[in-house]
Amino acid sequence: MDEENIEQTEAMAFLKPLLVPLHEGWHAAHGVYQEYDPRHTADHDDTAAANCIRCHMWAIVQNQMDGRRGVILRDLGRLKLLNYYDRYVLRFKKVDGSGRHRNARTDQQDDFDRGDPLPGIPPKATRLTSGYQPSIAGDAIQRILIARIAGKTVLWLSQINVVDAEAAWTDITPARLHGTSRVDARFRKKGDPRR
Amino acid sequence: MIELVTFNPEMLRLARDVRELTQTELSERSGFTQALASKLENGLIIHPSDEVVKKLVEVLGFPESFFCQPDRTEGLPHFHYRKRARLGSKALAHINAIINLRRMHITKLTRSYEIEIHKPIPSMDLDETGLTPEKVAERLRAYWMLPRGPIADLTQVIEEAGGIVVLCRFGTNLLDGISFRSAGLPPIFCMNREMPGDRYRFSLAHELGHMVMHALPDDDLKMEQEAHRFAAAFLMPATDIRAHLSVPKLSSLGRAKAFWKVSIKSLIKRAHDLHMITDKQYKNLMVGYSKAFKEGESYPIPVEQPTKLKDMVSYHLTKLGYSIADLARLLHLTADETQRAYTGLPNKGLRLVVSN
């Protein structure tokens, strides 16, 4: 088991109490968007749709998870974060099947990915992405994911499945050639968040 | 002795085609020879025995009166929807029989039912007017004073213009619909009910195109292409749809589908026809489409429900005081089948071959 696998297993075990609420939250947020009047959604591009769903998700997180033991919510403008026991910090994004998000990058997002200081966020906390992968037509959620992203590299990727109100996760990290690191060299030079 | 004034051989053939039986199957089930069935259908025996008639009633599920009504059957209209080439002759005969049966019912129901139309379905011959199918679609929208954007309920629009839309079980997905004008009747649109709502709308618009533009027969392929162009322009006017085709992605087109109530595939085609995407983009989208929607498209659109025929039946039952038995006698159906086909009430008995 390599370093990333250990970290992934630890993280997913620690985050277990959040997995069902996150899974349900994304589905609920997506469901709200699907109830929009089609005359309005027809005007939306993918970014607009993702923004709407993310806003609903953030509202659901605020309503249902704020005040939970270990949960601290931080709203840094465009970056909405959930701090869990100062060990993990999650942001909320639409992602693709490999766990990556495709929005235009901002300094704030780069800082988050690099593990650079952000106001109110413990520097040692591991930065994660709670994401959903929409179906190709955008009318359904294909997968709910937790991703550990460093720069443009996906260190590990977990798919959350909920059956009978019990959450389980599956490692779906994109395969890499044997012997190659999951973090590209360029990114390590700039600042590996695991240093 | 059962009094059959004149046995109508065409009605026997019609009944057999409605039930999808060959002459051999009919004779086997009835217990008489195929030779007899053939002679009956060809009018060589015009006074069949009581026993033969009783067997026909039993096997074919139509009352005795059905076989001696003086109606004539009609052939399929000269235009028809795509895929007909792949239809077998038996399936086509079945569809033709269903359509004839519907036409005969509508003829009887319209005798006592006044239809007031302010703006009927017009005729605009392309050769005479010099218009393109797109221009015809634009003018028809203007004539009917349809608002900009999607047509909320195309079936309602057509029925308000005097058309009668009938949902039929063709028993195949190889034919989406057939429309025709018959003497003394409003335009009739027989649509296959077993298709997605977005396809139903496009097919209905296609049939409307035939009704408006093709009063006279022409080259089959040419008429089909013109009806397609009409349907695309009628449901997705270029000036209104452009904004929703600007992002050539399946996700954006999915959202546009929910608004325009047309298939994602027809949106891709429309974007290409309007030169909003390149040939390469079109090809890539169609490849992506084929992979993504093997099991059918996302954003299902409900099939629109016609009301005119139901209104006509309701008028007979309520205003004219018909009982189900009276209605059955009028239509030459059994009471069970009348109920199943026209009142929507659950029923037991023969399988449903005609239904609303």
Side-chain angles (χ1 to χ4, degrees):
Chain A
M1 190 178 265
D2 63 21
E3 194 179 336
E4 282 85 12
N5 290 133
I6 295 166
E7 184 192 90
Q8 180 182 22
T9 307
E10 283 176 0
M12 295 309 292
F14 195 83
L15 293 172
K16 188 155 193 210
L18 299 184
L19 298 185
V20 171
L22 287 174
H23 189 277
E24 288 179 351
W26 276 122
H27 278 283
H30 191 270
V32 172
Y33 183 73
Q34 293 307 310
E35 287 172 15
Y36 280 25
D37 190 325
R39 96 181 74 162
H40 300 134
T41 54
D43 294 338
H44 289 181
D45 60 11
D46 285 356
T47 305
N51 278 336
C52 291
I53 293 168
R54 194 174 64 100
C55 286
H56 291 305
M57 179 59 176
W58 182 241
I60 289 166
V61 167
Q62 285 177 299
N63 289 334
Q64 298 185 5
M65 299 174 78
D66 197 13
R68 262 180 200 237
R69 182 185 289 263
V71 171
I72 299 168
L73 302 180
R74 285 272 179 266
D75 187 343
L76 306 182
R78 292 185 68 180
L79 199 57
K80 322 277 189 205
L81 301 171
L82 185 155
N83 173 0
Y84 196 49
Y85 285 107
D86 286 350
R87 281 188 62 176
Y88 296 97
V89 178
L90 290 92
R91 69 172 158 187
F92 303 93
K93 298 292 285 183
K94 183 189 93 166
V95 295
D96 63 16
S98 62
R100 293 183 179 87
H101 53 85
R102 293 183 186 274
N103 292 359
R105 298 195 67 81
T106 63
D107 288 346
Q108 206 177 32
Q109 285 183 17
D110 285 340
D111 288 346
F112 182 88
D113 282 340
R114 280 196 295 263
D116 286 349
L118 286 165
I121 299 302
K124 287 187 178 173
T126 303
R127 316 256 168 120
L128 301 174
T129 299
S130 165
Y132 72 98
Q133 181 195 350
S135 64
I136 197 151
D139 64 325
I141 286 183
Q142 202 163 324
R143 293 193 282 202
I144 306 290
L145 306 163
I146 300 279
R148 170 87 159 101
I149 298 170
K152 290 180 180 175
T153 306
V154 179
L155 295 175
W156 52 260
L157 183 62
S158 304
Q159 178 178 341
I160 305 173
N161 300 308
V162 173
V163 180
D164 296 334
E166 277 290 317
W169 64 275
T170 313
D171 177 22
I172 57 163
T173 308
R176 296 181 71 86
L177 290 174
H178 179 69
T180 61
S181 167
R182 286 180 180 174
V183 184
D184 63 62
R186 191 163 47 96
F187 182 77
R188 276 194 192 281
K189 281 177 195 169
K190 281 184 179 175
D192 185 343
R194 295 171 299 161
R195 278 182 309 190
Chain B
M1 173 94 182
I2 297 166
E3 285 300 321
L4 288 179
V5 179
T6 308
F7 186 85
N8 185 343
E10 283 192 44
M11 291 304 112
L12 173 57
R13 180 168 190 144
L14 177 67
R16 185 169 63 73
D17 284 339
V18 165
R19 304 303 182 201
E20 294 181 275
L21 295 176
T22 61
Q23 271 188 3
T24 313
E25 287 165 339
L26 173 64
S27 54
E28 279 171 6
R29 291 186 192 189
S30 308
F32 50 70
T33 62
Q34 192 193 339
L36 178 60
S38 174
K39 285 176 185 174
L40 284 169
E41 281 192 14
N42 286 311
L44 301 179
I45 298 175
I46 54 170
H47 293 297
S49 69
D50 295 357
E51 197 181 337
V52 167
V53 173
K54 200 175 164 189
K55 278 288 177 190
L56 291 176
V57 167
E58 191 182 307
V59 171
L60 294 171
F62 286 95
E64 295 151 21
S65 63
F66 180 87
F67 298 99
C68 56
Q69 56 182 324
D71 282 291
R72 302 293 304 267
T73 54
E74 291 181 6
L76 287 169
H78 56 265
F79 41 75
H80 33 74
Y81 203 68
R82 64 185 183 272
K83 288 187 179 177
R84 186 184 163 189
R86 284 173 52 204
L87 267 179
S89 58
K90 193 176 172 186
L92 204 55
H94 174 61
I95 291 166
N96 194 19
I98 288 177
I99 289 168
N100 266 297
L101 197 60
R102 290 295 199 173
R103 179 186 53 75
M104 286 158 54
H105 292 170
I106 291 167
T107 304
K108 291 175 174 78
L109 289 167
T110 48
R111 279 181 202 145
S112 309
Y113 185 83
E114 295 285 323
I115 300 176
E116 197 178 329
I117 305 301
H118 298 294
K119 291 190 174 180
I121 297 170
S123 189
M124 296 187 220
D125 187 89
L126 298 183
D127 294 331
E128 280 178 17
T129 59
L131 296 171
T132 61
E134 289 79 8
K135 272 286 170 199
V136 169
E138 193 182 317
R139 290 207 180 172
L140 186 58
R141 282 184 73 118
Y143 171 62
W144 280 341
M145 292 166 54
L146 298 177
R148 290 184 64 173
I151 295 170
D153 190 334
L154 179 62
T155 304
Q156 189 185 359
V157 167
I158 288 176
E159 291 202 321
E160 281 175 1
I164 295 179
V165 181
V166 188
L167 296 184
C168 305
R169 290 185 197 278
F170 289 155
T172 173
N173 61 1
L174 295 179
L175 190 80
D176 284 356
I178 289 180
S179 54
F180 54 93
R181 291 178 194 265
S182 194
L185 286 180
I188 297 172
F189 300 79
C190 289
M191 304 301 297
N192 192 343
R193 66 179 304 152
E194 286 152 352
M195 60 179 158
D198 43 296
R199 188 177 174 97
Y200 164 86
R201 279 167 57 87
F202 197 92
S203 300
L204 187 55
H206 176 107
E207 294 303 317
L208 176 63
H210 280 314
M211 288 284 96
V212 173
M213 300 183 296
H214 301 138
L216 295 172
D218 199 343
D219 176 66
D220 200 48
L221 181 62
K222 180 172 169 278
M223 286 194 298
E224 288 301 293
Q225 287 171 344
E226 286 167 352
H228 246 62
R229 285 169 58 191
F230 169 89
F234 192 69
L235 291 174
M236 301 171 276
T239 47
D240 299 342
I241 193 97
R242 279 183 187 278
H244 295 149
L245 299 177
S246 57
V247 182
K249 293 176 76 173
L250 292 176
S251 48
S252 293
L253 296 174
R255 288 186 289 271
K257 173 187 174 176
F259 180 50
W260 286 91
K261 298 182 184 175
V262 293
S263 68
I264 293 173
K265 197 171 194 172
S266 59
L267 287 166
I268 296 172
K269 180 83 170 52
R270 189 73 173 137
H272 188 240
D273 290 345
L274 294 174
H275 306 293
M276 297 188 68
I277 54 174
T278 62
D279 291 347
K280 191 176 177 184
Q281 282 176 312
Y282 175 72
K283 194 177 169 187
N284 288 340
L285 275 170
M286 291 309 272
V287 169
Y289 175 91
S290 302
K291 284 183 189 168
F293 304 122
K294 282 178 190 161
E295 305 297 322
E297 284 191 9
S298 305
Y299 295 100
I301 305 292
V303 175
E304 294 173 357
Q305 295 301 311
T307 57
K308 183 71 71 68
L309 195 50
K310 282 181 184 168
D311 289 347
M312 289 160 71
V313 170
S314 173
Y315 182 80
H316 279 73
L317 292 174
T318 55
K319 299 272 185 197
L320 301 182
Y322 275 55
S323 64
I324 293 291
D326 294 335
L327 196 61
R329 272 198 296 278
L330 174 71
L331 303 178
H332 299 292
L333 288 178
T334 63
D336 278 355
E337 195 147 41
T338 305
Q339 249 183 317
R340 259 199 314 269
Y342 288 111
T343 67
L345 296 176
N347 214 314
K348 54 184 185 294
L350 281 169
R351 67 197 161 84
L352 198 67
V353 291
V354 289
S355 69
N356 265 319

